């Protein structure tokens, strides 16, 4: 065992924005050290844990990730929308180092500390709406969603939870029930939590027309969803409607204008808690601090995680004070919830979002990506749709000129891009969506280079 450990132990390397901002391939991908680690992994790590990329990480920062063989990749993934302020951001790294030197943990439920309170104050301030708000902190996105449902049930005294087609809310038992896609998230893991009901979404690229031949716009899609809720559940049974304002895992689906406001209005009129799951779309990612703002909606509760603390595990539920106070005292919590290192990381990350005006930066990235990808779509009929907001942009791939999903092509593009030094992820219910989620610290030069490479891959993969 110890021999194994000594063969390929990764030494810490300095990351952050000081890393050379370049795409650089020194070996084949994966290189020999990554292959060595992959072989050890096969013997040690559950085969049920997957990895999109075959390379092992040594350092990351700015817009690049360097592997253990010295290859430098352009990062269009941000560790799934987490390192929004950049990997190993110096402010975050310093705050965490200071904190862990002072104390690593006390448990907020035992002896509390200021940074937790400060994060709560900031989230109350930043999330949509100027009503009185309160926050509770947790560790993962799924845990935030679970707790938002607990809070809504305690507040309403009702049981039913309404979610949507293509939804992704996590991998715990309740959030598996709330997540739409079976493979791989739910396969073999049932039975799932009861009282979760699924309504149809607004999916402009795939919605088509209704039986009268009218396009299914936002209000029509909302009416369809509300009819499902009223007929199949009964509005008076519903504790919460939970929705991602832009669906993440489901394919970066931006609902048609008017869909979300109509759902909020329905929730309000029926005493239902409206929960926006902003775990992926929050914290400047979409060119607004929260994606709910694009449609001017004010959710009752907002769940956040991913981009909140630059990679340290932290999540939150923030919302109307009277709803947040509904559960019994001691009803919410968790050993690690609001860990002090994660809290100071969040404070530093939020500072970086403000100081670097990352909301504007995400808007610039949207312009660059949509311009380049739109031009590519014009000459390549396999690109069915380019959509998203800010630095959360998707390319939906289809058999040329149809709406038939082409998951195989998405997989090939991502794999070939990796060979050429680009980290790009796939998603979507049909597995046919390339998702671009660069850190907001990436340069225009690197972004353009990444799109050049993707363009080359598309050209090469044409028949
Ligand atoms: C990733 C994600 C989750 C789950 O977060 P974890 O930290 O992986 O538990 C929940 N909701 C949305 C919208 C997500 O993107």
């Amino acid at each position: 065992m110890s021999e194994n450990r000594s063969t390929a132990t990764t030494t810490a390397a300095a990351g952050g924005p000081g890393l050379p901002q370049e795409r650089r391939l020194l070996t084949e991908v994966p290189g020999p050290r990554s292959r060595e680690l992959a072989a050890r992994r096969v013997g040690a790590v559950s085969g049920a844990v997957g990895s999109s990329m075959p390379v092992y990480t040594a350092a990351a920062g700015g817009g690049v990730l360097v592997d253990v063989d010295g290859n430098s990749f352009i990062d269009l993934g941000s560790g799934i929308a987490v390192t929004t302020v950049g990997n190993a951001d110096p402010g975050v790294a310093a705050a965490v180092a200071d904190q862990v030197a002072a104390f690593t943990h006390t448990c907020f439920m035992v002896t509390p500390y200021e940074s937790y309170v400060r994060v709560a104050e900031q989230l109350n301030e930043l999330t949509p709406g100027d009503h009185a708000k309160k926050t509770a902190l947790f560790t993962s996105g799924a845990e935030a969603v679970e707790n938002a449902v607990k809070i809504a049930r305690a507040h309403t005294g009702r049981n039913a939870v309404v979610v949507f087609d293509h939804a992704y809310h996590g991998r715990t038992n309740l959030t598996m029930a709330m997540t739409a896609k079976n493979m791989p998230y739910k396969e073999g893991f049932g039975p799932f939590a009861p009282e979760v009901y699924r309504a149809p979404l607004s999916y402009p690229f795939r919605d088509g027309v209704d039986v009268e031949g009218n396009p299914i716009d936002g209000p029509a899609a909302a009416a369809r969803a509300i009819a499902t809720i009223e007929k199949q559940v009964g509005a008076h049974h519903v504790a919460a409607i939970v929705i991602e304002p832009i669906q993440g895992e489901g394919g970066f689906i931006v609902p048609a204008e008017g869909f979300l406001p109509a759902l909020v209005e329905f929730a309000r009129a029926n005493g239902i808690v409206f929960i926006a799951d902003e775990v992926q779309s929050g914290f400047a990612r979409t060119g607004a601090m929260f994606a709910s703002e694009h449609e001017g909606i004010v959710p009752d509760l907002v769940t956040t995680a991913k981009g909140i603390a630059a990679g340290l595990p932290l999540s939150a539920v923030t919302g109307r004070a009277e709803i947040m106070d509904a559960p019994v005292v001691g009803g919410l919590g968790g050993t690690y919830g609001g860990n002090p290192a994660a809290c100071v990381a969040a404070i530093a990350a939020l500072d970086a979002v403000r100081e670097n005006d990352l909301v504007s930066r995400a808007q610039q990235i949207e312009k660059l990506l949509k311009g380049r990808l739109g031009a590519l779509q014009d000459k390549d009929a396999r690109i069915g749709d380019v959509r998203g907001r800010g630095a959360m942009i998707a390319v939906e791939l289809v058999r040329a000129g149809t709406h038939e999903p082409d998951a195989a092509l998405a997989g090939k593009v991502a794999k070939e891009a990796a060979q050429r030094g680009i980290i790009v992820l796939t998603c979507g219910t049909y597995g046919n969506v390339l998702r671009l989620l660069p850190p907001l610290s990436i340069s225009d030069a690197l972004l353009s280079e990444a799109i050049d490479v993707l363009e080359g891959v598309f050209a090469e993969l044409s028949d």
Side-chain angles (χ1 to χ4, degrees):
M1 276 316 226
S2 54
E3 284 154 48
N4 259 353
R5 252 182 228 126
S6 61
T7 51
T9 300
T10 313
T11 45
L19 277 178
Q21 296 297 299
E22 60 181 10
R23 183 169 62 105
R24 178 183 73 225
L25 293 177
L26 302 181
T27 69
E28 73 265 86
V29 175
R33 298 201 69 204
S34 279
R35 290 202 303 269
E36 201 181 328
L37 288 166
R40 269 174 60 193
R41 169 189 178 142
V42 168
V45 178
S46 162
V49 181
S51 295
S52 314
M53 292 282 294
V55 299
Y56 282 71
T57 314
V64 301
L65 181 147
V66 178
D67 76 7
V68 289
D69 292 289
N71 301 306
S72 178
F73 295 81
I74 301 177
D75 182 11
L76 299 184
S78 299
I80 318 189
V82 169
T83 55
T84 301
V85 301
N87 221 311
D89 172 79
V92 171
V96 171
D98 286 352
Q99 177 59 52
V100 297
F103 62 94
T104 48
H105 173 84
T106 60
C107 189
F108 192 76
M109 299 182 301
V110 180
T111 50
Y113 36 88
E114 187 197 354
S115 55
Y116 186 118
V117 180
R118 179 113 179 258
V119 171
E121 288 168 347
Q122 295 205 2
L123 291 175
N124 297 344
E125 173 83 34
L126 287 172
T127 48
D130 48 18
H131 49 280
K133 288 177 228 156
K134 291 194 178 183
T135 288
L137 299 181
F138 305 97
T139 307
S140 70
E143 212 188 348
V145 173
E146 290 240 1
N147 279 281
V149 169
K150 283 160 66 172
I151 294 163
R153 283 176 170 161
H155 173 71
T156 58
R158 304 173 182 176
N159 290 329
V161 176
V162 170
V163 293
F164 289 81
D165 287 333
H166 310 287
Y168 183 84
H169 297 294
R171 296 171 181 265
T172 56
N173 188 262
L174 175 58
T175 58
M176 272 195 294
M178 296 169 69
T179 289
K181 193 175 175 179
N182 176 57
M183 191 64 96
Y185 309 120
K186 303 163 79 161
E187 176 70 17
F189 296 152
F192 304 110
E195 288 303 312
V196 175
Y197 301 90
R198 197 168 305 285
L201 186 73
S202 163
Y203 189 162
F205 180 64
R206 298 198 168 274
D207 266 349
V209 296
D210 66 14
V211 286
E212 317 286 350
N214 300 315
I216 299 177
D217 59 8
R224 180 175 63 181
I226 288 165
T228 299
I229 297 167
E230 285 179 330
K231 299 303 164 205
Q232 299 183 21
V233 195
H236 59 292
H237 290 304
V238 180
I241 292 175
V242 186
I243 189 165
E244 301 152 83
I246 297 176
Q247 290 202 320
E249 205 60 39
F252 288 15
I253 303 163
V254 184
E257 195 183 332
F259 179 72
L260 293 171
L263 290 179
V264 172
E265 196 180 317
F266 169 74
R268 270 304 108 92
N270 289 279
I272 298 168
V273 177
F274 185 92
I275 302 173
D277 182 354
E278 294 247 20
V279 165
Q280 190 156 164
S281 57
F283 303 108
R285 172 58 56 188
T286 68
M289 192 56 88
F290 293 96
S292 294
E293 294 167 32
H294 295 294
E295 284 247 36
I297 61 167
V298 177
D300 298 310
L301 301 180
V302 178
T303 56
T304 53
K306 292 198 168 92
I308 193 174
L312 275 86
L314 187 71
S315 67
V317 182
T318 301
R320 294 185 189 280
E322 68 277 16
I323 300 178
M324 291 299 297
D325 283 340
V328 296
V329 175
L332 303 179
T335 306
Y336 294 118
N339 168 272
C343 283
V344 298
I347 293 163
L350 288 170
D351 284 347
V353 168
R354 275 186 291 262
E355 279 162 23
N356 303 318
D357 192 7
L358 293 185
V359 168
S360 302
R361 179 62 191 141
Q363 293 166 0
Q364 291 164 359
I365 289 174
E366 171 175 348
K367 217 170 270 172
L368 189 155
L369 288 178
K370 280 192 171 164
R372 292 289 312 271
L373 295 166
L376 191 55
Q377 181 183 20
D378 289 342
K379 58 182 192 192
D380 194 329
R382 297 169 299 176
I383 298 181
D385 197 21
V386 175
R387 61 170 176 260
R389 294 192 202 270
M392 186 173 180
I393 301 294
V395 180
E396 179 157 358
L397 302 181
V398 294
R399 299 217 192 285
T402 72
H403 279 65
E404 198 189 322
D406 194 344
L409 179 61
K412 275 189 234 164
V413 171
K415 200 163 175 212
E416 186 53 37
Q419 292 298 315
R420 300 181 190 194
I422 311 291
I423 298 173
V424 58
L425 308 174
T426 61
C427 66
T429 298
Y430 313 105
N432 65 323
V433 177
L434 295 172
R435 57 165 148 180
L436 310 188
L437 287 166
L440 302 182
S441 53
I442 197 170
S443 67
D444 282 355
L446 279 183
L447 266 184
S448 294
E449 186 178 341
I451 304 301
D452 291 342
V453 173
L454 287 178
E455 216 173 316
V457 170
F458 273 104
E460 195 152 303
L461 291 174
S462 60
D463 325 324

